[in-house]
Amino acid sequence: QVQLVESGGGLVQAGGSLRLSCVASGRTFSSVAMGWFRQAPGKEREFVSSINWSGRTTFYASFVKGRFTISRDNVKNTVHLQMNNLKPEDTAVYYCAYGRTGAERHERREYAYWGQGTQVTVSS
């Protein structure tokens, strides 16, 4: 079993920044991909970004490319999502996800464990 604990969400004005963190425990972290997804009220959970086991390969949804950066620290079992130039449409609950393999993926079924989520609210 894997436990994922997200932090760093909050309320920010449009144009501002937040840094989300997710700490993993319970199983090997350094050999699997990690991802971030988000879910806005009344909408499906959607892919935001992913990173492969080594951190050398990353992938972003088109709507965050150039604004968000994913990174990982395999010593601290932590994955981060740096979010800059936030927009009101980025408002959602953000979830950290633990991959089934080491390769980065953007589909929900490729992730085996999920955190409880952290709320991000961007005001206009």
Side-chain angles (χ1 to χ4, degrees):
Q1 194 73 9
V2 173
Q3 292 77 45
L4 301 172
V5 179
E6 300 103 332
S7 62
L11 173 64
V12 64
Q13 289 188 332
S17 298
L18 285 173
R19 189 187 193 214
L20 305 184
S21 297
C22 171
V23 180
S25 62
R27 292 183 68 176
T28 302
F29 175 83
S30 60
S31 61
V32 299
M34 296 294 293
W36 286 97
F37 289 72
R38 70 185 187 185
Q39 187 167 16
K43 293 188 176 182
E44 295 278 326
R45 190 172 299 189
E46 63 182 355
F47 170 79
V48 175
S49 181
S50 60
I51 188 167
N52 79 325
W53 67 275
S54 69
R56 292 186 181 134
T57 304
T58 59
F59 190 76
Y60 298 92
S62 58
F63 51 79
V64 302
K65 197 172 293 185
R67 300 189 296 125
F68 291 10
T69 303
I70 191 171
S71 62
R72 67 188 296 159
D73 183 335
N74 284 347
V75 174
K76 297 182 178 179
N77 287 2
T78 303
V79 61
H80 302 285
L81 186 68
Q82 177 67 43
M83 306 187 295
N84 298 329
N85 191 22
L86 283 161
K87 305 175 181 181
E89 51 264 42
D90 294 320
T91 295
V93 177
Y94 282 71
Y95 297 90
C96 172
Y98 180 96
R100 297 184 186 277
T101 71
E104 58 82 21
R105 293 287 187 265
H106 61 278
E107 296 182 352
R108 289 176 59 181
R109 64 172 181 266
E110 299 292 344
Y111 293 87
Y113 298 98
W114 297 80
Q116 82 288 351
T118 185
Q119 177 71 48
V120 171
T121 303
V122 184
S123 63
S124 57

